[in-house]
Amino acid sequence: MTDNLKGKFCPRPFEYLELGYPQGDKAPCFACCPTWVPTIVGDIGQQSVSDIWNSKEMQNIRASILDESFSYCNHELCPEIRENRLLEKDYLFQESHKEIVKKGLLKTEGPKIINFSNDRSCNLECPSCRTEKIMWSQGEEFEKMEEIHQRLLDEALESLELMIFCSSGDPFASKLYRKLLFELEGSKYPKLKIQIVTNGQLFTPEAWEKMEKIQKNIDTVYVSVDAATPDTYRVVRKGGELEELIPNLKFLGELRRQGKISLLQLDFVVQQRNYREMPEFVKLGKEVGADKVFFQKVVNWGTWTNEIYEQQAIWKNSHPEHQLFLDVLSHPLLKDSMVKRGNLSDLLEARADNIIVAILKRVPGLRHLYIRTKQLFHGMK
């Protein structure tokens, strides 16, 4: 598939900053998910937020968006590109986006969004992510991260619109993130929204109560599950039990039903170990009251040899089980409107009415109206 990115615009590098986990003596930052845009744009351990925000590397990435090459992006893995969800330059509705495109701005004020992914502490040991349990709660590295967090909050908190916790570990297992989630005075920042990315094992009713100060700020919750049966869950989510997760998912579904969170999404990283459970995962999402289930390809984070990764890359034509995988993808449940196809959109067929919507979304004016309507409804929390 050839990407047609002419006339497209991605606002992320103009609004978003991700804190990566320490690599040696550096604390790298990224303009997007590092899987999709791996270029390091600065070192938060050595630089201020303002220096990183308009660094040469950040400006180069922004320039690649404006010249429509998207040359720093992984076109194969980025779900925005794969699902044709990028904005149309001719139909932008945010004034800040219009100004960026019209003036070709490479320097902007910001960031508006910070993704805290610099602490890998987690209660699980998922094989696709790590080879051992990681828990940082003391020592030189921890103290450095604590110092970075405080400096970053002092510099950027007033202007932030969204804080994300976290895609590198689990926010409730992290001493650093728990401090922010349990102690931040959300009432002082009424415009600030919080997105929680978690494995859900520790997101209990008790944890929700401890977040009393920021409950009104919590906007969206994404739960990484990756399985629909207890046996598979124990393998792909080593250290966790699906039976213990389900009550927490139902609790989150109830929070969603009551309007206390704006969106609940269950995530599923597709690999050879779990692909047969994709239809059951859609059923699970429905049962617990999720808005969406999201499927994406597993990435080799360096924990696997190339041989093991190839064994797990079930979507590749060369995989011996690839046809069985395609058979699973043909299941009617995977065409349900709650399914987000991510970077599997080339393989996962959309439901007939979703196909019509997808076609309408390609008509620039109608697509503009569709996105604007979604954003307006999403803001009504």
Side-chain angles (χ1 to χ4, degrees):
M1 176 178 177
T2 302
D3 300 316
N4 180 12
L5 301 177
K6 183 175 175 57
K8 304 292 187 180
F9 176 72
C10 177
R12 180 164 283 210
F14 300 89
E15 301 174 343
Y16 173 100
L17 186 68
E18 179 162 332
L19 309 187
Y21 54 83
Q23 299 177 11
D25 59 349
K26 293 187 176 181
C29 293
F30 302 89
C32 188
C33 169
T35 300
W36 308 335
V37 183
T39 303
I40 294 173
V41 298
D43 179 355
I44 194 65
Q46 304 295 327
Q47 298 171 275
S48 67
V49 175
S50 58
D51 286 342
I52 294 171
W53 185 241
N54 287 310
S55 66
K56 179 181 177 182
E57 293 79 11
M58 185 71 90
Q59 291 185 59
N60 288 342
I61 293 171
R62 291 170 184 159
S64 76
I65 303 298
L66 295 177
D67 69 20
E68 302 173 359
S69 69
F70 292 77
S71 56
Y72 286 82
C73 307
N74 186 319
H75 294 206
E76 177 65 28
L77 293 179
C78 173
E80 303 299 313
I81 293 176
R82 300 272 33 101
E83 288 199 86
N84 192 33
R85 293 206 307 258
L86 294 172
L87 302 179
E88 301 279 349
K89 283 184 176 179
D90 292 338
Y91 292 89
L92 298 172
F93 41 81
Q94 288 193 23
E95 291 301 321
S96 60
H97 297 167
K98 292 178 183 178
E99 185 179 18
I100 288 167
V101 171
K102 182 179 179 180
K103 297 182 179 179
L105 298 179
L106 299 182
K107 292 184 177 182
T108 68
E109 292 184 6
K112 296 179 181 178
I113 304 167
I114 288 184
N115 185 348
F116 290 84
S117 287
N118 56 324
D119 188 348
R120 300 187 70 201
S121 297
C122 190
N123 51 309
L124 302 184
E125 305 171 52
C126 305
S128 60
C129 178
R130 58 197 67 205
T131 57
E132 60 184 2
K133 183 170 285 188
I134 298 173
M135 195 69 71
W136 293 337
S137 59
Q138 58 184 355
E140 189 175 337
E141 271 189 340
F142 176 82
E143 291 171 4
K144 184 177 181 180
M145 285 195 296
E146 195 171 31
E147 179 187 334
I148 287 170
H149 271 212
Q150 189 56 55
R151 179 163 53 80
L152 189 146
L153 293 173
D154 291 342
E155 289 185 46
L157 185 55
E158 291 288 347
S159 62
L160 281 184
E161 296 177 6
L162 177 65
M163 296 169 71
I164 303 172
F165 302 95
C166 69
S167 53
S168 60
D170 188 86
F172 299 103
S174 162
K175 183 178 178 180
L176 279 175
Y177 299 145
R178 285 199 309 272
K179 180 178 176 64
L180 287 170
L181 292 172
F182 296 166
E183 297 180 12
L184 185 66
E185 294 284 352
S187 60
K188 293 183 179 179
Y189 312 99
K191 295 182 180 180
L192 175 67
K193 293 184 177 181
I194 292 173
Q195 179 182 114
I196 294 178
V197 183
T198 174
N199 60 51
Q201 289 281 336
L202 302 176
F203 199 155
T204 60
E206 292 75 20
W208 174 257
E209 289 303 316
K210 289 180 180 179
M211 292 189 288
E212 181 182 6
K213 294 179 181 178
I214 61 161
Q215 284 180 4
K216 292 182 178 179
N217 302 84
I218 297 174
D219 184 45
T220 54
V221 178
Y222 296 80
V223 187
S224 300
V225 184
D226 299 346
T229 65
D231 287 344
T232 300
Y233 190 86
R234 291 187 192 104
V235 174
V236 298
R237 296 258 130 194
K238 185 179 177 182
E241 292 291 341
L242 188 60
E243 293 95 333
E244 295 176 8
L245 175 65
I246 297 297
N248 295 348
L249 294 180
K250 290 180 177 178
F251 170 70
L252 292 171
E254 181 60 22
L255 291 181
R256 176 68 183 99
R257 190 188 68 78
Q258 294 174 12
K260 294 182 178 179
I261 57 177
S262 296
L263 182 138
L264 173 61
Q265 176 175 300
L266 306 189
D267 292 346
F268 189 107
V269 176
V270 177
Q271 50 198 290
Q272 188 275 337
R273 290 167 171 159
N274 64 9
Y275 75 90
R276 296 174 185 83
E277 298 179 14
M278 292 173 71
E280 287 297 312
F281 189 67
V282 180
K283 285 180 64 176
L284 175 63
K286 289 179 175 294
E287 288 168 4
V288 301
D291 296 278
K292 294 289 181 182
V293 294
F294 178 55
F295 294 104
Q296 60 181 326
K297 300 173 182 177
V298 72
V299 173
N300 190 0
W301 292 96
T303 58
W304 288 337
T305 63
N306 288 335
E307 182 181 7
I308 292 176
Y309 178 68
E310 290 299 318
Q311 290 171 3
Q312 295 304 318
I314 188 68
W315 56 88
K316 292 191 176 184
N317 291 330
S318 58
H319 197 286
E321 295 180 40
H322 184 69
Q323 185 55 54
L324 294 174
F325 174 57
L326 296 180
D327 292 343
V328 170
L329 296 190
S330 68
H331 194 287
L333 276 170
L334 292 174
K335 299 184 177 86
D336 194 279
S337 59
M338 80 181 305
V339 173
K340 286 176 67 175
R341 299 174 296 151
N343 52 29
L344 285 168
S345 59
D346 295 349
L347 298 172
L348 252 177
E349 225 179 287
R351 193 170 74 173
D353 53 351
N354 283 347
I355 292 172
I356 294 172
V357 170
I359 292 171
L360 290 176
K361 282 163 63 179
R362 289 192 177 98
V363 180
L366 290 175
R367 186 173 189 276
H368 160 84
L369 180 61
Y370 173 81
I371 295 172
R372 184 58 174 153
T373 302
K374 277 186 70 176
Q375 290 204 345
L376 287 173
F377 274 103
H378 183 64
M380 295 178 183
K381 183 179 175 183

